[in-house]
Each structure stands twice: as C-alpha cells, then as structure tokens.
Amino acid sequence: MQESIIQCIEDIEKQILDVADTGQSVGDAVEALGLTHMKLSSAGVIAILDMLTEGITPLNDDIVTAMLGVCEAQKRFLFALSGQLDNTASMGMMETGSSATAPMEENEEEAAKAFEAPEESTEAEVPEQTDEPEAKQKEPKAAKPKQEKQTASQAISSIRVPTDSLDRVIELVGKLMVTYAVIAQGGTSNLAQVTASLRELDNVISQLQQEVDAIRLVPLKQIFMPMHRLVKSLSQKIGKKLDFVVRGDELALDKTIVESLNEPLVHLLRNAVDHGLEDAEGRKQAGKNDTGNVTLAAWRKGDSAFIQVKDDGKGLDPDRILNKAIEKGLAEEDKEYEKDEILNFVLQSGFSTAEKITDVSGRGVGMDAVVNSIRNTLDGDVTIESELGKGAAFTISIPLDRSANEGIVDALVARVGGETYIVPSRDVVEIYMPKLHEVVELPDGRETVDVRGEVHSLLRLADLLDLEPEVKDIRMAQAIVVRVGDYKAAILVDEVLRQQQVVITGFTVPVEEIFHIPILGYGMMGESDALVIDTEEMLQHFQNRVHQGKRKDATE
C-alpha cells in the first residue's frame, strides 16, 4: 500500500514539475490536485484560483512549491488512512531525528504564501524528482531560493509615466520650495506679500494634485487583454463557438479602480459564456448564427465610467426569476413587479436559476459577490438589461469622483446642533434657504420642500443624528440640495459655514456598522476635524425608513 500511495503522488508531482518547466497546462495540474472541486464560499478566493488555471496569473516558484506542499499533505493523509503513518512508513517523508510535524509545518507555511503576495527569486529552483522517495522528499526542504517581495499578481505594481509628466511634477515641487522660502523669509511684516504667496501656494498645490492624479491613470487594456485568453479557454472547454469583441480598452482610470475590476469581470465573462450563450444546437433552434457574440466594452460619460459585458444569448427569463425569488422568499407572490425589479433579484445573495453548478461558473457563488465588490470597493453599481431570446447586458457604473472616499476632496463645512459636519461637494447641487410656505408635511410624517418649482424630500440632519438644532425657524436655516444618481434631496442644516478642501480619512474601526449612521469618515481641516456625511448612505437610510413605515401602516 505504501508503494502505491507514493507512486500516485509521484505522478502528480511529475505533472507539476512539467508545468514548472513548460508553463503550460496549469489547469490540469490544479485539477489533478483536486483544488477545482473545493467548495469555496469567497468569490475572491475563487477568482484567484480561476486566474491561475486560465493563465492570467503567471506561474512562479512559490506557487510550484505550494503545489508540491499540497502533494505532501495528500501523501500524509493517505498514509494516515492506511494506518501506515508511523516512523517506519513515513521514513520517506522525514529526516532522521526530526519531529513528525516539522516538514508539514514548513509545507503549510509555503502553501499559504501562494495566496499572498508572490515573490520572485533570482533563480528558479524546483526540486528534482529522484527514484528514491527519501531523496525526493528532502529536496524541497533544502531548496530555499533567495526571494524579494513584490505586490500580488492581481495588483498593478508599476505604471508607465511620460517623462513630461515627471518634468511637470519636478517643476511644481520647485515652485513649492520657492514659495515656501518667500513666506518664511518675508515674515508677517508685509501682509499683502504673505497673502499673494499663500494664493500662489494654493495654486501650486492644486496643480501638483492634478498631476499626481493623472499619473495614477492606467488604461483598461492592462486587464482587458488577459480576458481574451480567458474567454477562448472557456469556449474551448465547454464547446461553444463565439466571437469576443473588446471596445474602449484605451480608457484610462485610476489604478485602484482598474485593480478592483479584475475579479468582477472574470465572474461576469464566465457567466456570459457558460449561462448566457446557447450551444450550437440551441442557437440553430432560435434562428441564430452558430457563433455567439460576447462583448466587453468601456466608456466614460460625464463623471462616471461604464464597463459592460454583453452577450447575444438566451437572455434572462423574468417569469422564471420571479418564481425563483418567490420560492426563496425574496419576493411577494401577490405583488406586481416591474421588469427591472425582477431582474435585480439576480443580484441578491444566494440567488441562482442555474439547474446545475458547473466548474466554469457559479460554484455556489452568485452575482451578489460581484455587486458587493463593486459597491463596497468602488461605490459603483451593476445594472441589468435583458431581452428574452436575444441576450443580456451587465453594466458596471463607477462614479469617478466618488472613487476617492479617502483623500483630498472639496467639501462644504456645515454646523448642526452646535456640531460641525462635512458634506462632500461632489454630491452638492446648490444651497437654498427655504421659505415657510415651500415646506409641506405629508400625512406619513415626511417633509418636502419646493426648490424653484422642483419638489425634493427634506431631510433634517439634526433629527437623523439625534441632535437639538440651534436654529428653530426653518426660514433661518439652510438646505443643501444633493443628488445621488437620479435622486435629489434637501438636507437641512443650521448654517453652511464655508467651502474648502479637506482630507478625508476612514475610521480604523467599523463605526458605521456599530452605530448605523451615515458617516463616511472624518475630515481634517487643519485647525479641527469633523465627521463627513455619507450622502448616498443617508438617502438610502431615509428611503428604507419610508418603506418600513409603509409596511407598518399596511399591517395595521
């Protein structure tokens, strides 16, 4: 039995070493280790495994070492099952005089490195396979190449920067130094000169910030190009003919946005190829061309970027989705739903209409993983367009000015109930002083305000934060009209103090989860700090409260 176990593991190890030499058939080696059959609940872990098997993540020494470590663990497991895990039977796995757990601890540590930042070595050292098990087991332990840390393969570790951009940055830094010297040497005797110097300093800092933001821009081509190989591999694996078209890959976005889009796009493309497109026979019956079409497109409109994955497959069946939603308790059976509302059930946690889980897409992780990644990381959203029998399109929208929830932003500084709060200017439409006759209280307790003929919901920030407003007369208060998407509302505050740039920093603890208040973080303004209002979360909180009130009234 011992020889049979060793022979089985040696065959897998030989396959891994062949992959290390050629760089080909990584997926077969991962399949041989049984890693593709693991039930994983994290979309992120699934994505990094998929990117390895599809060739998006380059194979390195650490991954090879970790795969060999998995072989060691499997060998110990099989020895334990056969009752031969003792000093005699495991002689080929341990050095004389060493503890039985020492090699295993080393291999577990090495295997964990495969899911951390990969490291590169000056020389590729892969343990050689020998005929003797003992020599073969000692070799991986002895092989420890010199390694240097680098960022994870999913991250963009380097950016090409034009030399003229660097020259402009150096020039602006020089201007900063000169302006600082003028202020330092002039003192406070000449206030006019100090004022002019501070104005110049503010101008230089703004230009420097713009240049640095421009340097961080990365073309989407960096993540779109590997998708060709992914889609081609998937189509060959499941036997579907398709044309893959990429548009707009020259669009440049911030580095953090591009990095965060990788995993959601892999998930959407896998779903489009596996679930969206019909097979050749199904397309013939639907009167379509044998070859399907999958399009990955990107474009910018205003202050938002859009990335779309579109296919000309069978589309989404609203009736089937609604029945499934009712079955899972996500929808009410006697309620009428719009088509968009029905399609959005697909984005709910645990929702799936797939008849079976395949090794290509799904695997128990639904579209909610994609949506949560986009919403939590990028403050974006996912919308669905579908026509039954003609295809579906999933569009990711990312507000570019909203991608910097931490950093230097323009903001309004307001006072409410004796406290100071910050409202990011990116959401602000205007500041308005309401008149008494423009404010209307609705039967359900909500208030609206008429702003130049346009009616908005009126949200009293003091009530939401459980504060006592200093300004009782609404005619003396000020309303900050904000817009999030297509929805507008007016936030009532005691007074808007000023507009200035602030540095927004997130909390080190999850404050918003503990207190359930719409706070984005705190803003540093130089002389003091203040909490930053998350207007999007505030509007969502208000809408949820309205819906809860309606449901309560319906039950009474």
Side-chain angles (χ1 to χ4, degrees), residues 147 156 257 263 364 371 444 541:
Q147 299 169 337
I156 299 173
I257 297 179
E263 293 178 10
V371 176
D444 59 2
H541 178 81

Side-chain angles (χ1 to χ4, degrees), residues 301 304 306 340 381 383 397 399 402 426-427 429 454-457 481-490 536 539-540 543:
K301 185 178 180 181
S304 297
F306 299 88
D340 292 343
D381 204 356
T383 57
S397 58
R402 190 179 299 278
R426 67 195 178 192
D427 302 319
V429 178
E454 193 172 357
V455 179
H456 306 306
S457 298
V481 181
V482 297
R483 174 169 49 199
V484 176
D486 296 328
Y487 185 75
K488 285 184 180 181
E536 182 176 11
L539 267 58
Q540 184 64 45
Q543 290 177 323

Side-chain angles (χ1 to χ4, degrees), residues 399-439:
L400 301 179
D401 55 353
R402 190 179 299 278
S403 62
N405 279 341
E406 296 186 6
I408 304 173
V409 300
D410 293 321
L412 293 181
V413 182
R415 192 177 75 249
V416 181
E419 301 290 340
T420 303
Y421 293 92
I422 295 172
V423 180
S425 297
R426 67 195 178 192
D427 302 319
V428 176
V429 178
E430 64 175 313
I431 301 171
Y432 185 74
M433 295 191 68
K435 298 178 177 62
L436 191 59
H437 70 274
E438 294 173 338
V439 179

